[in-house]
Amino acid sequence: LIDLREEAVARDPHRDEQFLASSSLTMNPEQSAALAVLMQALEAPAEARPMLLHGVTGSGKTEVYLQGIRAALEQGKCLYPKSR
């Protein structure tokens, strides 16, 4: 006999990995300017709007996002409660 069925299996591919926080990288002038715009949005959330960084691969967009996220978390501005 064959029994065919679908079953959801929860898996965590990073279960056995340990991720260590690293220090922020030094940003170039363009990255600093982009981060400044993000920081202004954090200070005036009523005026904030969705933002998207444009740049070629390897231009440093991820570092701008990471430093912006770090600043938001340090200010307690998080969408989800910490218990999640």
Side-chain angles (χ1 to χ4, degrees):
L1 290 169
I2 296 176
D3 181 23
L4 296 176
R5 60 188 160 127
E6 290 188 29
E7 183 177 331
V9 177
R11 297 183 184 152
D12 182 0
H14 303 291
R15 177 182 52 230
D16 298 325
E17 293 185 43
Q18 183 180 29
F19 296 95
L20 303 174
S22 61
S23 60
S24 299
L25 300 176
T26 302
M27 295 195 297
N28 63 37
E30 291 84 7
Q31 290 171 303
S32 296
L35 182 60
V37 172
L38 289 175
M39 297 302 289
Q40 288 174 349
L42 286 175
E43 297 301 321
E47 300 171 16
R49 63 194 187 289
M51 296 181 197
L52 179 65
L53 293 176
H54 176 75
V56 299
T57 301
S59 63
K61 299 178 297 293
T62 300
E63 186 63 24
V64 174
Y65 281 127
L66 289 174
Q67 290 193 31
I69 291 166
R70 177 176 285 156
L73 292 174
E74 287 173 353
Q75 294 177 23
K77 297 178 179 180
C78 180
L79 283 174
Y80 304 107
K82 290 184 179 182
S83 63
R84 188 165 186 213

